[in-house]
Amino acid sequence: PLVSASNAYIEATRETLSHELDELLAMPRIEFLDPNREIGLTAFALAYHGRNDVDLMCKLARVIRRGYSAAATSLDRMPKRRRTPAGRIRVGFVSTHFYNHSIGRAFHGFIHDLPRERFETWVFAVAPPQGEAWAETLRASSECYVALADDVDAIRIAIESAQLDILI
């Protein structure tokens, strides 16, 4: 839940998650053809616990990368972009909420206001609503706007192909 009844409940929830992730990592084989649909939920609610989430999020990432073999193999084949010392930093933003949503409104400032002489901005909008005003505002605020279907492989390929320096 987003709001927990007590600190003890938070600790028990986190311990259970950690234990379940350990069990998945210990399994001889796991496979996700489409992690977006097969896993479904994210660990987003951990942010509401007010704790350091790094270890749990890294463990979750190891489970997903272990079970989603396409992600593990494709990065090795991608040519690396060489940025010149004076070159701009290529920053990508990806979300399913780049429209009139708190995420779209909050990230608009980052996308719009990054100094263009130092940063190149890319927006990867997953299944954006057509003709929605905030979606269009975000499109206009970025240097490169990529509208993507809700397909994890297409999303992964588009992001990898952009050869970003930073992904948010």
Side-chain angles (χ1 to χ4, degrees), residues 47-121:
Y48 293 101
H49 290 169
R51 309 289 197 281
N52 184 335
D53 299 328
V54 171
D55 290 341
L56 282 173
M57 295 301 281
C58 286
K59 193 180 291 189
L60 176 60
R62 283 195 311 273
V63 167
I64 294 169
R65 287 187 62 79
R66 183 168 173 255
Y68 181 51
S69 58
T73 58
S74 62
L75 285 174
D76 297 332
R77 294 188 307 254
M78 291 293 295
K80 301 297 180 216
R81 181 174 75 94
R82 296 182 189 265
R83 185 167 44 93
T84 64
R88 297 185 304 159
I89 297 169
R90 190 174 289 174
V91 182
F93 299 86
V94 61
S95 180
T96 57
H97 301 294
F98 284 151
Y99 56 91
N100 189 16
H101 182 280
S102 59
I103 299 297
R105 292 188 307 271
F107 275 89
H108 173 254
F110 292 113
I111 295 163
H112 181 269
D113 295 338
L114 278 173
R116 292 300 192 256
E117 65 275 3
R118 291 188 54 215
F119 298 96
E120 178 182 336
T121 58

Side-chain angles (χ1 to χ4, degrees), residues 19-40:
H19 176 71
E20 290 174 352
L21 291 171
D22 287 337
E23 287 178 354
L24 288 169
L25 287 169
M27 292 175 75
R29 177 169 162 71
I30 57 174
E31 184 175 6
F32 307 116
L33 298 176
D34 186 346
N36 192 35
R37 288 180 179 72
E38 292 175 57
I39 297 170

Side-chain angles (χ1 to χ4, degrees), residues 3 6-7 15 21 23 29 35 70 72 81 94 112 119 123 138 145 167:
V3 178
S6 67
N7 281 326
E15 286 176 26
L21 291 171
E23 287 178 354
R29 177 169 162 71
R81 181 174 75 94
V94 61
H112 181 269
F119 298 96
V123 168
L138 289 163
Y145 181 94
L167 176 64

